[in-house]
Amino acid sequence: MHLSHTPALLRSLVAAAVLGVVAVMVQRVDVVVLMVPFVVHLAWGWRSRPHVDLVVESRPKAVVIPEGESVSMVTHATHAWRSALVTLQWPVRPGISLDPDSGTVLDAAVPEGVRVAVQPERWGRYDVGPGTVAVCDPSGSWRASTTTPRVTVTVRPTSSSLEGGSGVAHPIGIVGMHRSRRRGDGSDLAEVREFRPGDRLRRINWRVTSRLGALHVNSTLTERDTDVLIVADTLVDIVPARPEAPTSLDATVRAIAAISRHYGGFGDRVAIHDLGRRIGHVRPGTGPRHARMVLNVLSRANRDVPDWDRLRPVGTVTSGMLVFFCSPLLERESQDELVRLRRLGAEVIGVDTLPEGVGQFGDIRSFRRDTFLGEAWMIRRMERDEALARLRSIGIPVTPWRGTSSLASVLLSMEAARSAPRRVPGR
Amino acid sequence: MRDLAEVLAGWIYALQITSGQQWVLRLTVLSSGVGAAVLCNLWFPVLISPALLVTALVMAFASVIRPDSVAPLFFVAAVGLWWLAGAAAASQPDGGGGTPGRWLGVTVLVAVFHLSTAFAAAAPSYARVTGRAAKLLSLAGVGYVAVSVAVGMAVLGLAALPRHVLGPGWVVAGALSVSVATVALVAALRPRRAH
């Protein structure tokens, strides 16, 4: 910590010395009177001179917070002067809101420390700092300054649960919470039928039995879990004209957080496959620990990877696996991958993560007139809309991501389709 | 010319983002500086009063914007020069240029200017000053001005004693105290490094 005198103390010294010499030489009382404030300040500064080493500690070093919350950077100055003043200054940088706005606060040195609140505007990993701490004695004569270490703030994306049903048409596990079409031990009533050898006695429906005269039992549907694969298309991060608006990567991350939480709650095995390199893969898993791991992986997603890296196709897909394909669906390769997964037998739902205003008519104003980029984006969006229409025509639902209620209609319709009459091929 | 424009633009921007509490602190600097200059102009008129007035006002404004610069020292130098040139008659028993009350008035304003400049330099202009810090600054400022006034009155009281009581002793005592204080403080001002 660098300790030094302030310009005020130097000013007092110079003024007191010069005026003192002049007062003695010319023997004038009035000059002594003018000298008094500087001598008093010198004496105060002399009394406040530091005797022990100052220590400044800043906390926390690293912190993980959910999106939308803030963290207080607390700085303690120990062995400081009695009634010392502490100036704490954190650098302002884009994407982070500070309280106070300037990130700078002048406070008294108190045991609970000096605080500046830091609130990242969206999910991700942020390096905040280094901050600057200056401790000043109450006379403004001495000043000690140092820098605080950088603080890593990891912001987990919001993981609100999806609205709507599970959308699982063909559970492929053994036990779980999704109602399957198979009869067996479960809680949902399938039918009441006559007793057969092997039926459990506790399944006997005594009311129906006494009415009909023959033993009848309740037949139930089994409950099973399933495999959920979330495919993240992070090859390109589409950034809208407004810098504060969510990008396609923001939408992708939030959709993955909500979907993984939703199906994690059902006890399903959730895996993530990244077609690009911004998020990375997550092995199939279930439970709260796996949900936390997914959020940690998402919060470490890297925005700075160059666009259009090589597409990494999904490996094996089990028949009946529920696949959420989160993508802006602008590139032909991504659309082909979506169709390929459907043909492999997966139940595929396309989640459109293209930001809302991109390629719309009103977005043309965001670009320079002579570049015609606005018009180019409109043409690209029209081509994409045509591709989406083709995807829907072959039975792949594609729904734009607009929050937790985005998939409700699709999931409910998929659940309803499970019990719908089916045409058996060949008959 | 461009550098000057950039400097001025920087100063204007610094004023724009100044927090409310810092405005109060810096207005204290400005009002005390302007007050001291105006009182000197009224009470200690000399030939170069206009030049000293302009210098003092410019330095007071500069002190508001950059309290950690040499501007406050130049302000003190201007007031000191004014005092030496204009208050000379006041030290004569029959002089009509000034009275002890006037000396104390200007001294109080100089004291307020000096300490408020020191406080303003403790943090950037855009720093938020908490209530605790504002209370601490206020108490320190009031205490400092009170002690300065008390010591000033004591000096005036001693000076009012008949000359044969103290004789030339106060001159020797003053010279010795100033020398000792200067040597001790220069030794203490060496930068130290702590951890």
Side-chain angles (χ1 to χ4, degrees), chain B residues 81-132:
Chain B
L81 191 62
W82 211 335
W83 188 292
L84 286 172
S91 63
Q92 306 302 321
D94 55 345
T99 62
R102 290 180 178 182
W103 296 344
L104 279 178
V106 176
T107 301
V108 165
L109 287 175
V110 169
V112 172
F113 174 83
H114 178 56
L115 196 68
S116 55
T117 309
F119 286 162
S125 63
Y126 44 83
R128 176 195 288 175
V129 183
T130 63
R132 286 184 298 230

Side-chain angles (χ1 to χ4, degrees), chain A residues 31 40 45 112 146 160 230 232 238 240 248-249 272 275 305 329 341 380 383 386 406 417:
Chain A
V31 180
V40 170
E112 56 263 33
T146 188
S160 310
I230 306 171
I238 311 290
S248 65
L249 186 62
I272 298 174
L275 297 180
V305 172
L329 292 168
L341 292 174
R380 203 168 178 196
E383 288 174 350
E386 196 177 331
S406 308

Side-chain angles (χ1 to χ4, degrees), chain B residues 11 15 23 26-27 29-31 33-34 53-67 69 71-72 75 113:
Chain B
W11 284 12
L15 287 175
W23 265 115
R26 283 156 201 259
L27 280 177
V29 173
L30 184 65
S31 56
V34 171
L53 182 64
V54 170
T55 305
L57 290 180
V58 169
M59 289 302 123
F61 274 107
S63 303
V64 170
I65 297 166
R66 291 291 305 275
S69 66
F75 174 84
F113 174 83

Side-chain angles (χ1 to χ4, degrees), chain A residues 122 236-249 303 307 355 358 363 367 377:
Chain A
R122 56 181 75 174
V236 183
D237 186 15
I238 311 290
V239 182
R242 285 187 301 121
E244 70 275 9
T247 67
S248 65
L249 186 62
R303 296 178 192 275
D307 285 345
V358 172
D363 199 37
F367 300 95
W377 269 110

Side-chain angles (χ1 to χ4, degrees), chain A residues 407-427:
Chain A
L407 302 180
S409 58
V410 175
L411 296 177
L412 288 172
S413 63
M414 285 177 71
E415 268 197 342
R418 177 173 54 189
S419 56
R422 282 174 168 71
R423 183 171 64 88
V424 180
R427 287 191 185 176

Side-chain angles (χ1 to χ4, degrees), chain A residues 200-363:
Chain A
R200 293 174 186 271
L201 294 180
R202 63 187 174 87
R203 295 281 184 189
I204 295 174
N205 189 329
W206 292 108
R207 185 173 295 176
V208 176
T209 300
S210 63
R211 194 167 66 238
L212 298 177
L215 276 177
H216 278 72
V217 293
N218 292 333
S219 173
T220 54
L221 297 169
T222 58
E223 286 151 349
R224 298 181 171 189
D225 61 1
T226 193
D227 287 338
V228 177
L229 174 65
I230 306 171
V231 179
D233 175 7
T234 63
L235 296 166
V236 183
D237 186 15
I238 311 290
V239 182
R242 285 187 301 121
E244 70 275 9
T247 67
S248 65
L249 186 62
D250 287 329
T252 302
V253 164
R254 287 184 181 128
I256 293 173
I259 293 168
S260 63
R261 178 173 171 172
H262 185 68
Y263 286 95
F266 285 121
D268 296 326
R269 291 173 298 281
V270 180
I272 298 174
H273 178 91
D274 189 3
L275 297 180
R277 291 193 308 169
R278 294 178 200 268
I279 294 176
H281 303 317
V282 175
R283 290 171 177 273
T286 185
R289 187 167 171 270
H290 184 72
R292 275 200 305 277
M293 191 186 73
V294 168
L295 288 180
N296 286 339
V297 169
L298 292 176
S299 61
R300 287 198 297 268
N302 192 351
R303 296 178 192 275
D304 303 326
V305 172
D307 285 345
W308 245 151
D309 199 14
R310 193 167 57 86
L311 183 142
R312 297 192 289 186
V314 178
T316 55
V317 172
T318 316
S319 178
M321 179 184 269
L322 189 59
V323 175
F324 289 90
F325 198 93
C326 304
S327 167
L329 292 168
L330 278 170
E331 305 299 334
R332 182 67 179 268
E333 287 80 356
S334 302
Q335 298 164 6
D336 290 347
E337 182 68 7
L338 179 57
V339 174
R340 189 179 73 86
L341 292 174
R342 181 75 178 91
R343 287 184 177 160
L344 286 173
E347 296 280 337
V348 183
I349 301 171
V351 180
D352 176 12
T353 56
L354 186 69
E356 200 167 2
V358 172
Q360 304 284 9
F361 185 75
D363 199 37

Side-chain angles (χ1 to χ4, degrees), chain A residues 1 12 37 54 89 106-107, chain B residues 114 126 128 130 132 144 194-195:
Chain A
M1 199 164 189
S12 291
L54 289 166
Q89 187 169 14
L106 174 67
D107 200 353
Chain B
H114 178 56
Y126 44 83
R128 176 195 288 175
T130 63
R132 286 184 298 230
Y144 168 71
H195 64 82

Side-chain angles (χ1 to χ4, degrees), chain A residues 102-119:
Chain A
S102 60
T104 308
V105 65
L106 174 67
D107 200 353
V110 286
E112 56 263 33
V114 183
R115 292 165 189 271
V116 169
V118 175
Q119 184 178 18

